[in-house]
PDB file of all heavy atoms in Angstrom:
ATOM      1  N   ALA G 191      -6.107 -30.312 -11.330  1.00  0.00           N
ATOM      2  CA  ALA G 191      -5.123 -29.242 -11.151  1.00  0.00           C
ATOM      3  C   ALA G 191      -5.647 -27.921 -11.698  1.00  0.00           C
ATOM      4  O   ALA G 191      -5.472 -26.865 -11.083  1.00  0.00           O
ATOM      5  CB  ALA G 191      -3.819 -29.616 -11.833  1.00  0.00           C
ATOM      6  N   VAL G 192      -6.300 -27.959 -12.864  1.00  0.00           N
ATOM      7  CA  VAL G 192      -6.856 -26.744 -13.455  1.00  0.00           C
ATOM      8  C   VAL G 192      -7.943 -26.167 -12.551  1.00  0.00           C
ATOM      9  O   VAL G 192      -8.003 -24.950 -12.323  1.00  0.00           O
ATOM     10  CB  VAL G 192      -7.403 -27.032 -14.866  1.00  0.00           C
ATOM     11  CG1 VAL G 192      -8.236 -25.857 -15.379  1.00  0.00           C
ATOM     12  CG2 VAL G 192      -6.254 -27.315 -15.826  1.00  0.00           C
ATOM     13  N   ARG G 193      -8.792 -27.017 -12.042  1.00  0.00           N
ATOM     14  CA  ARG G 193      -9.884 -26.540 -11.187  1.00  0.00           C
ATOM     15  C   ARG G 193      -9.357 -25.910  -9.898  1.00  0.00           C
ATOM     16  O   ARG G 193      -9.866 -24.887  -9.441  1.00  0.00           O
ATOM     17  CB  ARG G 193     -10.830 -27.703 -10.871  1.00  0.00           C
ATOM     18  CG  ARG G 193     -11.773 -28.016 -12.032  1.00  0.00           C
ATOM     19  CD  ARG G 193     -12.711 -29.132 -11.733  1.00  0.00           C
ATOM     20  NE  ARG G 193     -13.844 -29.106 -12.664  1.00  0.00           N
ATOM     21  CZ  ARG G 193     -14.579 -30.150 -12.978  1.00  0.00           C
ATOM     22  NH1 ARG G 193     -14.316 -31.328 -12.423  1.00  0.00           N
ATOM     23  NH2 ARG G 193     -15.585 -30.042 -13.826  1.00  0.00           N
ATOM     24  N   ILE G 194      -8.319 -26.513  -9.316  1.00  0.00           N
ATOM     25  CA  ILE G 194      -7.745 -25.935  -8.099  1.00  0.00           C
ATOM     26  C   ILE G 194      -7.104 -24.585  -8.399  1.00  0.00           C
ATOM     27  O   ILE G 194      -7.280 -23.607  -7.655  1.00  0.00           O
ATOM     28  CB  ILE G 194      -6.714 -26.899  -7.485  1.00  0.00           C
ATOM     29  CG1 ILE G 194      -7.400 -28.176  -6.990  1.00  0.00           C
ATOM     30  CG2 ILE G 194      -5.967 -26.224  -6.339  1.00  0.00           C
ATOM     31  CD1 ILE G 194      -6.436 -29.239  -6.502  1.00  0.00           C
ATOM     32  N   SER G 195      -6.366 -24.491  -9.507  1.00  0.00           N
ATOM     33  CA  SER G 195      -5.708 -23.225  -9.856  1.00  0.00           C
ATOM     34  C   SER G 195      -6.726 -22.139 -10.182  1.00  0.00           C
ATOM     35  O   SER G 195      -6.511 -20.967  -9.867  1.00  0.00           O
ATOM     36  CB  SER G 195      -4.756 -23.430 -11.033  1.00  0.00           C
ATOM     37  OG  SER G 195      -5.451 -23.883 -12.185  1.00  0.00           O
ATOM     38  N   LEU G 196      -7.855 -22.508 -10.789  1.00  0.00           N
ATOM     39  CA  LEU G 196      -8.909 -21.526 -11.062  1.00  0.00           C
ATOM     40  C   LEU G 196      -9.545 -21.044  -9.765  1.00  0.00           C
ATOM     41  O   LEU G 196      -9.816 -19.850  -9.589  1.00  0.00           O
ATOM     42  CB  LEU G 196      -9.979 -22.141 -11.968  1.00  0.00           C
ATOM     43  CG  LEU G 196      -9.572 -22.409 -13.415  1.00  0.00           C
ATOM     44  CD1 LEU G 196     -10.673 -23.183 -14.139  1.00  0.00           C
ATOM     45  CD2 LEU G 196      -9.288 -21.103 -14.162  1.00  0.00           C
ATOM     46  N   LYS G 197      -9.757 -21.974  -8.842  1.00  0.00           N
ATOM     47  CA  LYS G 197     -10.364 -21.610  -7.557  1.00  0.00           C
ATOM     48  C   LYS G 197      -9.445 -20.720  -6.749  1.00  0.00           C
ATOM     49  O   LYS G 197      -9.899 -19.796  -6.044  1.00  0.00           O
ATOM     50  CB  LYS G 197     -10.704 -22.885  -6.778  1.00  0.00           C
ATOM     51  CG  LYS G 197     -11.485 -22.627  -5.500  1.00  0.00           C
ATOM     52  CD  LYS G 197     -11.878 -23.934  -4.827  1.00  0.00           C
ATOM     53  CE  LYS G 197     -12.688 -23.679  -3.561  1.00  0.00           C
ATOM     54  NZ  LYS G 197     -13.084 -24.965  -2.908  1.00  0.00           N
ATOM     55  N   MET G 198      -8.134 -20.966  -6.847  1.00  0.00           N
ATOM     56  CA  MET G 198      -7.163 -20.169  -6.109  1.00  0.00           C
ATOM     57  C   MET G 198      -6.746 -18.915  -6.867  1.00  0.00           C
ATOM     58  O   MET G 198      -5.957 -18.112  -6.358  1.00  0.00           O
ATOM     59  CB  MET G 198      -5.920 -21.019  -5.799  1.00  0.00           C
ATOM     60  CG  MET G 198      -6.177 -22.214  -4.913  1.00  0.00           C
ATOM     61  SD  MET G 198      -4.670 -23.170  -4.597  1.00  0.00           S
ATOM     62  CE  MET G 198      -3.723 -22.014  -3.598  1.00  0.00           C
ATOM     63  N   ASP G 199      -7.270 -18.753  -8.078  1.00  0.00           N
ATOM     64  CA  ASP G 199      -6.949 -17.603  -8.932  1.00  0.00           C
ATOM     65  C   ASP G 199      -5.448 -17.519  -9.184  1.00  0.00           C
ATOM     66  O   ASP G 199      -4.793 -16.507  -8.928  1.00  0.00           O
ATOM     67  CB  ASP G 199      -7.452 -16.301  -8.302  1.00  0.00           C
ATOM     68  CG  ASP G 199      -7.453 -15.140  -9.303  1.00  0.00           C
ATOM     69  OD1 ASP G 199      -7.435 -15.395 -10.518  1.00  0.00           O
ATOM     70  OD2 ASP G 199      -7.470 -13.976  -8.866  1.00  0.00           O
ATOM     71  N   LYS G 200      -4.904 -18.597  -9.743  1.00  0.00           N
ATOM     72  CA  LYS G 200      -3.477 -18.679 -10.071  1.00  0.00           C
ATOM     73  C   LYS G 200      -3.318 -18.918 -11.574  1.00  0.00           C
ATOM     74  O   LYS G 200      -3.220 -20.068 -12.021  1.00  0.00           O
ATOM     75  CB  LYS G 200      -2.801 -19.796  -9.269  1.00  0.00           C
ATOM     76  CG  LYS G 200      -2.696 -19.533  -7.781  1.00  0.00           C
ATOM     77  CD  LYS G 200      -1.967 -20.649  -7.072  1.00  0.00           C
ATOM     78  CE  LYS G 200      -1.718 -20.300  -5.615  1.00  0.00           C
ATOM     79  NZ  LYS G 200      -0.738 -19.215  -5.463  1.00  0.00           N
ATOM     80  N   PRO G 201      -3.286 -17.840 -12.369  1.00  0.00           N
ATOM     81  CA  PRO G 201      -3.203 -17.986 -13.828  1.00  0.00           C
ATOM     82  C   PRO G 201      -1.962 -18.743 -14.297  1.00  0.00           C
ATOM     83  O   PRO G 201      -2.041 -19.542 -15.232  1.00  0.00           O
ATOM     84  CB  PRO G 201      -3.184 -16.535 -14.320  1.00  0.00           C
ATOM     85  CG  PRO G 201      -3.790 -15.737 -13.221  1.00  0.00           C
ATOM     86  CD  PRO G 201      -3.399 -16.434 -11.965  1.00  0.00           C
ATOM     87  N   ARG G 202      -0.821 -18.498 -13.662  1.00  0.00           N
ATOM     88  CA  ARG G 202       0.414 -19.151 -14.114  1.00  0.00           C
ATOM     89  C   ARG G 202       0.363 -20.652 -13.874  1.00  0.00           C
ATOM     90  O   ARG G 202       0.809 -21.441 -14.720  1.00  0.00           O
ATOM     91  CB  ARG G 202       1.611 -18.538 -13.390  1.00  0.00           C
ATOM     92  CG  ARG G 202       1.878 -17.082 -13.771  1.00  0.00           C
ATOM     93  CD  ARG G 202       3.091 -16.535 -13.073  1.00  0.00           C
ATOM     94  NE  ARG G 202       4.299 -17.254 -13.445  1.00  0.00           N
ATOM     95  CZ  ARG G 202       5.493 -16.990 -12.946  1.00  0.00           C
ATOM     96  NH1 ARG G 202       5.636 -16.031 -12.034  1.00  0.00           N
ATOM     97  NH2 ARG G 202       6.554 -17.676 -13.327  1.00  0.00           N
ATOM     98  N   THR G 203      -0.182 -21.067 -12.733  1.00  0.00           N
ATOM     99  CA  THR G 203      -0.295 -22.495 -12.456  1.00  0.00           C
ATOM    100  C   THR G 203      -1.317 -23.138 -13.378  1.00  0.00           C
ATOM    101  O   THR G 203      -1.123 -24.274 -13.834  1.00  0.00           O
ATOM    102  CB  THR G 203      -0.700 -22.716 -10.992  1.00  0.00           C
ATOM    103  OG1 THR G 203       0.150 -21.960 -10.137  1.00  0.00           O
ATOM    104  CG2 THR G 203      -0.598 -24.178 -10.629  1.00  0.00           C
ATOM    105  N   CYS G 204      -2.386 -22.404 -13.671  1.00  0.00           N
ATOM    106  CA  CYS G 204      -3.383 -22.903 -14.616  1.00  0.00           C
ATOM    107  C   CYS G 204      -2.759 -23.090 -15.993  1.00  0.00           C
ATOM    108  O   CYS G 204      -3.021 -24.086 -16.679  1.00  0.00           O
ATOM    109  CB  CYS G 204      -4.556 -21.933 -14.683  1.00  0.00           C
ATOM    110  SG  CYS G 204      -5.911 -22.490 -15.734  1.00  0.00           S
TER     111      CYS G 204
END
Side-chain angles (χ1 to χ4, degrees):
V192 168
R193 282 181 162 156
I194 294 174
S195 61
L196 290 173
K197 187 176 181 179
M198 297 180 68
D199 194 20
K200 291 182 173 291
R202 293 182 62 182
T203 310
C204 184

